[in-house]
Amino acid sequence: SPKGFPKLKNDTFLRAARGEETEHTPVWCMRQAGRYLPEFRETRAAQDFFATCRSPKLCCELTLQPLRRFPLDAAIIFSDILVVPQALGMEVVMVPGKGPTFTEPLKEVEDLLKLRQKVDVTAELGYVFQAITLTRHSLEGRVPLIGFSGAPWTLMSYMIEGGGSTTMAKAKSWLYRHPEASHRLLRLLTDVITDYLVGQVAAGAQALQLFESHAGHLGPEQFQDFALPYIRDIAQAVKSKLKEEALPLVPMIIFAKDAHYALRDLAHAGYEVVGLDWTIRPQEARAQTGKDVTLQGNLDPCALYAPKEKIGELVKKMLEGFGTQRYIANLGHGLYPDMSPEHVGAFVEAVHAHSRHINKH
């Protein structure tokens, strides 16, 4: 394998992503490397958030922490979606109690000229590639490593809002007032994201997830105009570049939070896996996406506040809804900082136990 990586011992997640049969349903959690783990808080305590992201050694350590505790079926590299706007020349800082904050968000169309129009991803984001290579070796083939990026609309919304927002009104006003400039920005992001994802595979990522976390702020028509075409383009461009560069064709996951209205389109957007949030019934999601994609999700993260026995019941119900094949268990969004690691463990174990039981009978 490239770069002399260790041989993979547990490929359940990759087989499920490709639609092959699995003995148990694989499981991983969005934000599994996170503040709910005391060891994560300890590792991160002395460091600025983005300085941590730029340290391959720390990213590797944080990625491995949850795997030391839980029998997860995949690791996801510790990083952040906002490293892409940073690569375009924008400054983003992590403000305690507030979250990621852009010192100079995009206000006017002219501000697009301040962005780097050509990004050398190895120069700007090489630290992520180094973290992936180091982590892939450090995993010693235990489980596959997932790389990721934010999707164009989600990144655009942060770049204009300057941080989180409940309405995304500033970013959405661009879509209505400046449609052409919006498309210019989305195209620029698409090109950078494509190179970034291909670079992650070259560095050792064995699957890729695209996070369209702010999909739910768009209605069906705006999603059709300003999100879906770029989501499609990324899948197509990444795959053709991987072929050109003789790199492995890794499975790709699209997670568009709250975009139920677009599930049919997303199932045909060129991704092997469609991630789901917790606001849709498993049977309904299957009906809309058909038989040719794997589904991933979708337990309500807050279900992990329930007693452990209850978590087991909810997992069993979820597995009965999705079926154990062509399915990757996950939460419908990331883990929250105040969650109990024991309850995360109960979730992971319940997926393995119940899916094995269902498969046997």
Side-chain angles (χ1 to χ4, degrees):
S1 67
K3 299 184 196 274
F5 289 127
K7 191 173 171 351
L8 186 58
K9 296 169 196 154
N10 172 3
D11 66 348
T12 316
F13 163 80
L14 294 178
R15 278 188 288 133
R18 293 191 294 255
E20 296 163 18
E21 204 171 317
T22 59
E23 298 73 60
H24 67 265
T25 296
V27 55
W28 67 281
C29 299
M30 291 185 269
R31 295 206 197 116
Q32 64 190 25
R35 288 176 292 174
Y36 73 101
L37 291 176
E39 58 268 40
F40 176 95
R41 292 196 294 272
E42 215 171 289
T43 309
R44 276 270 351 267
Q47 276 273 28
D48 163 72
F49 177 79
F50 285 109
T52 304
C53 289
R54 285 189 287 274
S55 160
K57 213 172 127 195
L58 283 176
C59 289
C60 174
E61 167 58 23
L62 294 170
T63 303
L64 296 177
Q65 284 177 353
L67 293 153
R68 294 190 191 120
R69 278 188 183 247
F70 316 117
L72 294 151
D73 293 289
I76 182 164
I77 194 68
F78 177 81
S79 186
D80 194 85
I81 63 172
L82 298 181
V83 299
V84 170
Q86 287 175 335
L88 285 163
M90 294 187 83
E91 193 189 353
V92 192
V93 292
M94 196 57 84
V95 178
K98 187 184 171 196
T101 305
F102 285 72
T103 51
E104 287 183 46
L106 304 173
K107 289 194 171 79
E108 305 300 331
V109 171
E110 296 74 56
D111 293 341
L112 293 181
L113 299 171
K114 295 178 189 169
L115 300 174
R116 281 191 190 104
Q117 302 304 307
K118 273 270 172 265
V119 175
D120 175 345
V121 291
T122 308
E124 300 300 329
L125 296 167
Y127 59 88
V128 179
F129 304 155
Q130 287 165 25
I132 287 172
T133 302
L134 178 62
T135 306
R136 175 84 187 267
H137 282 294
S138 306
L139 277 166
E140 296 174 335
R142 206 151 83 198
V143 294
L145 179 61
I146 305 169
F148 70 90
S149 174
W153 154 249
T154 294
L155 295 180
M156 170 183 171
S157 64
Y158 272 115
M159 290 160 76
I160 294 171
E161 294 291 339
S165 157
T166 50
T167 60
M168 295 293 155
K170 289 178 188 163
K172 285 178 73 178
S173 81
W174 272 54
L175 305 181
Y176 288 105
R177 287 164 45 228
H178 313 302
E180 277 171 33
S182 297
H183 281 299
R184 266 208 324 274
L185 175 54
L186 291 163
R187 171 55 50 208
L188 175 62
L189 284 162
T190 297
D191 294 345
V192 177
I193 291 163
T194 298
D195 290 346
Y196 179 43
L197 290 174
V198 170
Q200 290 185 48
V201 176
Q206 290 152 289
L208 298 168
Q209 177 155 312
L210 191 67
F211 284 89
E212 189 68 282
S213 312
H214 295 167
H217 289 280
L218 301 176
E221 281 180 25
Q222 281 189 314
F223 188 84
Q224 207 73 33
D225 283 352
F226 297 101
L228 188 64
Y230 300 102
I231 288 170
R232 279 193 189 122
D233 285 359
I234 287 167
Q236 207 180 338
V238 166
K239 287 179 174 164
S240 79
K241 285 197 174 190
L242 290 174
K243 268 189 195 139
E244 267 167 43
E245 297 178 26
L247 288 165
L249 277 177
V250 304
M252 294 179 72
I253 308 165
I254 176 65
F255 175 61
K257 191 173 176 291
D258 296 324
H260 323 132
Y261 53 76
L263 277 184
R264 270 196 183 84
D265 289 325
L266 290 167
H268 297 104
Y271 294 76
E272 285 70 26
V273 184
V274 175
L276 304 164
D277 58 65
W278 67 91
T279 59
I280 187 157
R281 289 188 177 86
Q283 296 84 342
E284 203 176 308
R286 279 276 182 223
Q288 288 198 44
T289 52
K291 292 186 178 68
D292 297 330
V293 296
T294 293
L295 295 179
Q296 174 179 282
N298 73 338
L299 192 72
D300 179 354
C302 291
L304 296 193
Y305 295 123
K308 288 183 195 173
E309 315 72 69
K310 180 71 177 162
I311 293 171
E313 288 164 31
L314 293 166
V315 165
K316 182 170 178 275
K317 195 177 169 197
M318 180 170 82
L319 285 162
E320 286 164 353
F322 283 108
T324 59
Q325 301 299 319
R326 259 208 181 280
Y327 174 55
I328 296 161
N330 205 318
L331 303 172
H333 201 218
L335 287 161
Y336 302 146
D338 64 345
M339 284 176 166
S340 145
E342 285 68 42
H343 287 221
V344 176
F347 166 64
V348 173
E349 277 152 35
V351 171
H352 287 162
H354 287 299
S355 62
R356 282 200 175 99
H357 182 81
I358 293 168
N359 283 348
K360 267 201 192 107
H361 301 87

